Amino acid sequence: YLRPGYLAFVRDETLMIAPFDAGTLRLTGPSLPARHEVAVGYGNCHAEYALSGDGTLVLIPREVMPARREVVRLDRAGRAETILPAEKTYGGPALSPDGRQLALTRNEAGLDLLVYDLDHGAMSRLAATPRREFGALWDRSGTRVFFVVDMPQFQIFEAAASGSGPPRLLLEGMRDQIPLDVSPD
């Protein structure tokens, strides 16, 4: 919210500004694009910008975030090993508790949730939904993965890490649901 009555938000990586009535919580006019495209971290569902109450804007421009990013594993000495080359756009990596599998999102024709077997170099699609999937989080045993499906509200699903069986809707609501942690039990 910007005084004296505007709402700022990101739509398709473009910063938008709309007149907003804080009393009724309604837009009072059309939303217009600002001059900035903002980097969006789909793995964490966060647009990379901040606004102060006086309208000062700080942001990470979209062009700073490369479209294609490699996935790299670092050892304790800081030596890097490329796991997945920058042939695709990857984000939101989540390492399994035993360190042998990596759940991550690939942005190709949409956001798809994948599991990569680090020992065998095999990639499998975890959830074959027609919607955007992201935000992977492993259970403590490493047998299940929780994630977000955009339906259009973000809903929490779970699936077997092995890919056996269809994903199961775990939590839905009228507002976005995003998993942040899993209890030990």
Side-chain angles (χ1 to χ4, degrees):
Y1 180 76
L2 299 167
R3 297 185 199 285
Y6 293 92
L7 188 65
F9 59 96
V10 172
R11 177 187 297 146
D12 296 326
E13 298 180 337
T14 299
L15 183 63
M16 306 291 289
I17 307 292
F20 182 73
D21 183 328
T24 64
L25 301 177
R26 298 202 187 283
L27 296 180
T28 59
S31 45
L32 299 173
R35 293 176 290 172
H36 306 287
E37 291 187 334
V38 178
V40 175
Y42 289 103
N44 61 10
C45 313
H46 182 74
E48 303 293 344
Y49 80 99
L51 283 160
S52 70
D54 69 0
T56 300
L57 168 68
V58 293
L59 63 87
I60 298 175
R62 185 183 73 174
E63 60 270 10
V64 171
M65 300 280 283
R68 296 177 181 217
R69 292 173 231 143
E70 64 185 2
V71 178
V72 176
R73 175 173 33 196
L74 297 175
D75 66 15
R76 292 184 185 272
R79 290 183 297 270
E81 172 193 1
T82 299
I83 302 299
L84 296 167
E87 296 169 351
K88 310 276 185 200
T89 300
Y90 297 105
L95 200 56
S96 64
D98 65 5
R100 300 176 78 174
Q101 296 181 90
L102 180 68
L104 71 164
T105 298
R106 179 180 62 202
N107 188 354
E108 200 165 28
L111 297 177
D112 298 326
L113 193 64
L114 309 168
V115 172
Y116 183 74
D117 184 318
L118 294 164
D119 293 336
H120 300 101
M123 180 89 71
S124 59
R125 183 143 180 227
L126 184 63
T129 72
R131 310 251 185 207
R132 298 183 321 158
E133 308 148 3
F134 54 92
L137 182 66
W138 292 86
D139 73 347
R140 304 285 190 222
S141 69
T143 60
R144 305 204 64 72
V145 178
F146 303 95
F147 57 97
V148 175
V149 176
D150 188 353
M151 303 190 63
Q153 284 81 25
F154 299 163
Q155 309 296 339
I156 299 176
F157 278 70
E158 69 171 325
S162 65
S164 63
R168 181 175 72 96
L169 178 62
L170 189 65
L171 183 63
E172 70 178 316
M174 297 303 293
R175 299 194 175 171
D176 289 345
Q177 310 293 319
I178 300 172
L180 299 177
D181 200 359
V182 179
S183 68
D185 63 355

